[in-house]
Amino acid sequence: MEGISVIFDAMSRETALFTLALTAVIAYFLGNCNGAVMISKLFLHDDVRSHGSGNGGLTNFQRTYGGNKLTLMVIATDMLKMVLSVVIAWGIFTVVMPMGEKPPLFIKYWAGFFCVLGHVFPCTLHFRGGKGILAGGTLALLVDWRVALFAWGFFFLGVLLTRWVSLGSILAATAFGVSSAIFHPTPSIAVPALLAAALIDWKHRANLLRLLKGEEPKLSLRKKAKS
């Protein structure tokens, strides 16, 4: 058993609902810790969202400031917040569940979804966040190596073949949702996985339109020259 039913079978309804709400709130606010926005403000005294696509994400950060050590800090921040979200949620449920019973896999998807939600719609940043692909990719690594293989495989395949990061991101998010539903067909896992994938894909809707028009910029490791 790996779905939400394990939780309600192991503890009272009130305790289960409170713990689910608590872990959702923690994961959401950790998701608010946007690496691109934080690093651009702390180290560059700027806001990455005032440049390029206006998105508070890794790709816009790299295109605006170039690939450097700060870019690695953005990656580390966005990956770490997902790891913390899942680890904290897992730890809380390990404590509240009966002795000897492990939390179900559902907990990782639960916390992961709310971390992605916090990254995409951060209330502390006026709901102007990133697109969630790095956070989602980290979640894939935490839940199942098969899901990670599909998600990251489609991402690198898309980027290497086309140099369109957005296309790789759309393929990766879709692969994450679909493979999670295939390998873990429990509704309480498939639903948050597919919702997270749909949210990430929806955030890439402008990229998709530019892709269809042939106007989407391709990956470059050099900083654009300012006009």
Side-chain angles (χ1 to χ4, degrees):
M1 296 292 288
E2 55 187 14
I4 193 173
S5 60
V6 175
I7 296 171
F8 286 98
D9 289 342
M11 62 186 74
S12 69
R13 181 180 179 84
E14 292 75 15
T15 301
L17 291 174
F18 174 79
T19 312
L20 286 170
L22 175 63
T23 52
V25 170
I26 292 173
Y28 173 79
F29 279 102
L30 281 171
N32 276 231
C33 299
N34 184 295
V37 176
M38 290 170 59
I39 300 303
S40 64
K41 287 186 175 183
L42 285 173
F43 293 94
L44 301 170
H45 307 292
D46 195 11
D47 189 336
V48 67
R49 295 173 299 174
S50 63
H51 302 280
S53 65
N55 181 62
L58 174 63
T59 301
N60 194 39
F61 187 95
Q62 185 273 327
R63 285 174 178 163
T64 301
Y65 306 114
N68 50 40
K69 293 180 180 179
L70 294 182
T71 302
L72 296 178
M73 292 177 67
V74 173
I75 294 173
T77 301
D78 285 345
M79 293 186 74
L80 179 60
K81 70 186 182 186
M82 177 58 75
V83 173
L84 286 175
S85 297
V86 171
V87 168
I88 290 173
W90 192 266
I92 290 174
F93 272 95
T94 299
V95 170
V96 299
M97 291 189 73
M99 186 69 68
E101 291 198 37
K102 292 176 60 177
L105 179 63
F106 158 76
I107 293 303
K108 294 183 178 182
Y109 279 94
W110 174 260
F113 169 75
F114 281 98
C115 184
V116 171
L117 186 65
H119 179 83
V120 173
F121 296 118
C123 64
T124 58
L125 296 172
H126 307 290
F127 300 99
R128 291 181 59 206
K131 297 179 181 178
I133 189 63
L134 187 55
T138 305
L139 177 60
L141 293 171
L142 295 171
V143 294
D144 188 325
W145 68 268
R146 298 169 298 179
V147 173
L149 183 63
F150 271 87
W152 284 97
F154 273 95
F155 174 78
F156 285 116
L157 184 65
V159 174
L160 289 174
L161 292 179
T162 68
R163 285 177 46 220
W164 279 322
V165 176
S166 57
L167 179 59
S169 299
I170 292 169
L171 291 174
T174 303
F176 169 78
V178 173
S179 62
S180 292
I182 291 174
F183 294 124
H184 306 285
T186 305
S188 58
I189 289 179
V191 170
L194 290 170
L195 284 176
L199 180 60
I200 294 171
D201 283 345
W202 179 79
K203 285 291 291 184
H204 284 84
R205 63 193 184 283
N207 302 89
L208 181 58
L209 290 175
R210 289 194 295 269
L211 283 168
L212 294 174
K213 295 179 181 178
E215 299 172 353
E216 180 74 352
K218 294 193 174 185
L219 175 67
S220 173
L221 296 179
R222 294 179 298 176
K223 181 180 176 180
K224 285 187 175 181
K226 293 184 178 180
S227 56

